[in-house]
Amino acid sequence: MPNPPRTVSIKPRGKPRGLRRDRDCITCKSRNVKCDLNRPGCLPCKLAGLPCGGYDRRVVWVADSKPGTRHIPRPPIKEESDRPTRIQRHEQPTTPCSVQQRPSSSGVKEKSFLQHLFSFCNRINSEAQQTLQSGQSYISSETIDLVTTVCDFVQTLSSANDFLNNDCPESVEAAAHQLTLLVCLNKTLQTANPFAILGIAAFAVFEVCNGPYGQWQHHIRGAKSLLDHHCRSRDDLDKLSKSIPGLIDVVARLAWFDLCGTLTKTDGSTLILDDWHHNVLDDDFFRMVGCPADCYRVLHDITKGGALSNPLGVSIQVISQLSKVGLDNSDYSHCADTHRCAAAIAAITRLKDGEAEPFKDQTLASAVDRLCLVLDSSSESNPYTVFMALPAYLAGMEATSPQHCNTLRRYWKNCKLAGVHRYPGASEGCEAVWREKGLV
């Protein structure tokens, strides 16, 4: 921590005297007033008629130690007097995912990708400290700044009040971390630092869950430009992944965002990432998102223009997918069934006007019916709920009855009640279409 502008005496216990502004509530910090630290809401905020922003549960940044102070570093940090390094440590109760633990695909959680990002960045920090201790550091200070800032940003996104509860106003802390990461990411992109893809992924998952639904192309294009600078093939990516923990997982999730974003459009948009980028998706990933591998291949063919270039072939694939709907009643199968119905909706909406009429509208309505039936039969506690957002959005765009609207409203509401991302952009987009159609 940098030396204060004036000399401060230190108690033997190591606790600094005077104001501890790092403990103030977020609102008092932003107003630069003293907080009384009262829980759950402080008095200064109540007197000012402002909502108390809550208290920072993070541990402050640590760098070179000062005589007379003490802290419990996690992981252990060897301090250097000539090169202070920004490393963030977190208390165990608030750590989304420890370095040693990786969420299993069998226990799907709504913030799994955020947990992965946090784990990857912690691993990089840990490796940086080990190399510093051995005197063979290969991770630049620029990279350390980026990954620690990503950790801070991800921890803020993982906060229930800031990220999952959309009734609460965006916290000042969340906005500050977002701006800090943006500045840091801009620096690393100017030098084409490959670790910048971690920052791109953090912004992508934030906008996927909170921004306009399907409008993630700028993140995907930025990631592709960065990847093209360092690797032009899967072999190159595998080599690069040896120095960037979690790179393959990050590329896989960005490829999934690429597919989902393209499927939300019917204007002829195609995938941004190359086929070899999409080939990094494996069985573990498909199990995590609740989309069968064969269904993914159909969706991939549709985004590549298969519905126009080979309508008969895609139709046969879609029929095969629909024939598997309802064969199982498990949570995973419900999610898989919604993706199978989504494949039918995406294929039909991409057929040229006049093709397969009058069966096109009838078949489309039937696919939406089946998808809504699956959503109705799915448990409110289904851990795959968050991954049904794309099928629900596609069904919402093609809804033809108030019953469809009611089912989809329940789905978006269930997302919120289940403590997962609510996708306000998707919900609002559906509502706008329903108003135009006179369904609401």
Side-chain angles (χ1 to χ4, degrees):
M1 187 179 294
N3 288 328
R6 59 187 178 86
T7 302
V8 180
S9 60
I10 306 296
K11 288 185 178 181
R13 292 187 303 163
K15 296 180 70 174
R17 297 177 63 185
L19 289 178
R20 284 292 306 275
R21 298 308 307 282
D22 58 299
R23 296 185 301 178
D24 290 352
C25 79
I26 295 169
T27 306
C28 286
K29 280 183 187 177
S30 66
R31 298 172 58 220
N32 198 27
V33 300
K34 182 178 179 180
C35 181
D36 65 358
L37 308 181
N38 190 37
R39 265 75 168 175
C42 68
L43 181 60
C45 289
K46 291 181 180 179
L47 294 177
L50 298 173
C52 185
Y55 296 89
D56 189 357
R57 291 177 293 176
R58 298 179 300 109
V59 179
V60 297
W61 299 103
V62 296
D64 49 333
S65 299
K66 305 298 178 184
T69 63
R70 62 185 177 92
H71 59 80
I72 305 174
R74 181 180 179 274
I77 298 174
K78 179 180 179 181
E79 306 297 349
E80 293 185 349
S81 58
D82 58 339
R83 184 189 174 190
T85 304
R86 291 179 67 203
I87 299 294
Q88 188 182 26
R89 59 186 175 89
H90 298 263
E91 296 179 73
Q92 184 65 26
T94 61
T95 302
C97 181
S98 65
V99 176
Q100 293 82 7
Q101 295 178 338
R102 175 186 176 92
S104 63
S105 58
S106 60
V108 180
K109 294 185 178 181
E110 67 277 359
K111 299 191 289 290
S112 58
F113 189 48
L114 289 177
Q115 292 171 331
H116 281 302
L117 275 176
F118 192 89
S119 179
F120 300 151
C121 293
N122 265 343
R123 286 173 57 190
I124 295 169
N125 273 342
S126 179
E127 291 177 9
Q129 290 312 298
Q130 294 175 5
T131 56
L132 280 174
Q133 292 173 6
S134 64
Q136 299 177 350
S137 177
Y138 69 92
I139 299 180
S140 66
S141 58
E142 176 187 74
T143 298
I144 293 296
D145 285 342
L146 174 68
V147 296
T148 52
T149 305
V150 170
C151 271
D152 208 38
F153 183 64
V154 168
Q155 178 114 349
T156 303
L157 295 189
S158 299
S159 168
N161 288 335
D162 296 337
F163 187 52
L164 302 178
N165 188 349
N166 288 277
D167 290 336
C168 294
E170 181 182 11
S171 73
V172 175
E173 183 191 27
H177 289 318
Q178 186 175 355
L179 180 59
T180 301
L181 177 56
L182 185 61
V183 172
C184 191
L185 179 58
N186 183 54
K187 287 183 180 179
T188 55
L189 287 175
Q190 288 177 357
T191 60
N193 188 325
F195 286 85
I197 196 168
L198 300 174
I200 294 175
F203 274 114
V205 71
F206 175 75
E207 292 201 6
V208 164
C209 298
N210 291 276
Y213 197 74
Q215 304 300 316
W216 318 310
Q217 298 91 333
H218 51 296
H219 297 302
I220 309 301
R221 292 192 181 97
K224 185 178 187 301
S225 296
L226 185 63
L227 289 170
D228 286 347
H229 184 80
H230 294 280
C231 46
R232 294 280 183 171
S233 67
R234 177 62 190 270
D235 289 340
D236 292 341
L237 181 65
D238 289 337
K239 293 177 182 177
L240 185 61
S241 67
K242 294 179 181 179
S243 60
I244 304 180
L247 177 61
I248 300 296
D249 284 23
V250 170
V251 173
R253 182 52 66 99
L254 290 174
W256 179 254
F257 291 163
D258 187 21
L259 178 81
C260 294
T262 304
L263 287 170
T264 63
K265 300 171 180 60
T266 56
D267 57 0
S269 299
T270 57
L271 297 172
I272 296 172
L273 295 179
D274 297 330
D275 287 346
W276 69 266
H277 293 125
H278 285 266
N279 288 337
V280 304
L281 277 67
D282 56 15
D283 290 339
D284 286 339
F285 184 89
F286 294 133
R287 282 193 293 269
M288 183 185 73
V289 299
C291 178
D294 59 340
C295 183
Y296 165 80
R297 287 192 288 271
V298 177
L299 293 171
H300 187 268
D301 288 346
I302 293 172
T303 58
K304 298 285 287 185
L308 293 176
S309 62
N310 184 21
L312 179 60
V314 170
S315 297
I316 294 174
Q317 289 178 305
V318 167
I319 292 173
S320 175
Q321 292 299 314
L322 290 176
S323 67
K324 301 175 183 178
V325 174
L327 296 181
D328 191 358
N329 198 37
S330 65
D331 288 337
Y332 169 83
S333 294
H334 284 151
C335 186
D337 288 348
T338 62
H339 283 102
R340 293 182 176 113
C341 294
I345 295 172
I348 295 171
T349 54
R350 279 164 173 74
L351 291 175
K352 292 180 180 179
D353 291 338
E355 290 186 353
E357 299 290 355
F359 304 105
K360 180 179 175 180
D361 292 341
Q362 181 180 353
T363 306
L364 183 59
S366 176
V368 175
D369 279 336
R370 298 194 70 177
L371 198 154
C372 288
L373 286 174
V374 174
L375 290 178
D376 280 334
S377 62
S378 181
S379 168
E380 292 184 356
S381 60
N382 189 335
Y384 291 91
T385 296
V386 66
F387 299 115
M388 301 181 193
L390 173 67
Y393 179 79
L394 294 181
M397 293 294 102
E398 305 300 332
T400 57
S401 70
Q403 289 76 14
H404 292 159
C405 301
N406 292 334
T407 294
L408 294 167
R409 278 201 188 103
R410 283 194 297 271
Y411 168 78
W412 302 121
K413 182 179 180 180
N414 184 41
C415 281
K416 180 178 178 182
L417 293 177
V420 296
H421 316 314
R422 188 169 66 98
Y423 297 113
S427 177
E428 293 166 4
C430 290
E431 292 284 350
V433 170
W434 299 339
R435 286 193 294 269
E436 290 180 3
K437 292 182 177 180
L439 298 176
V440 295

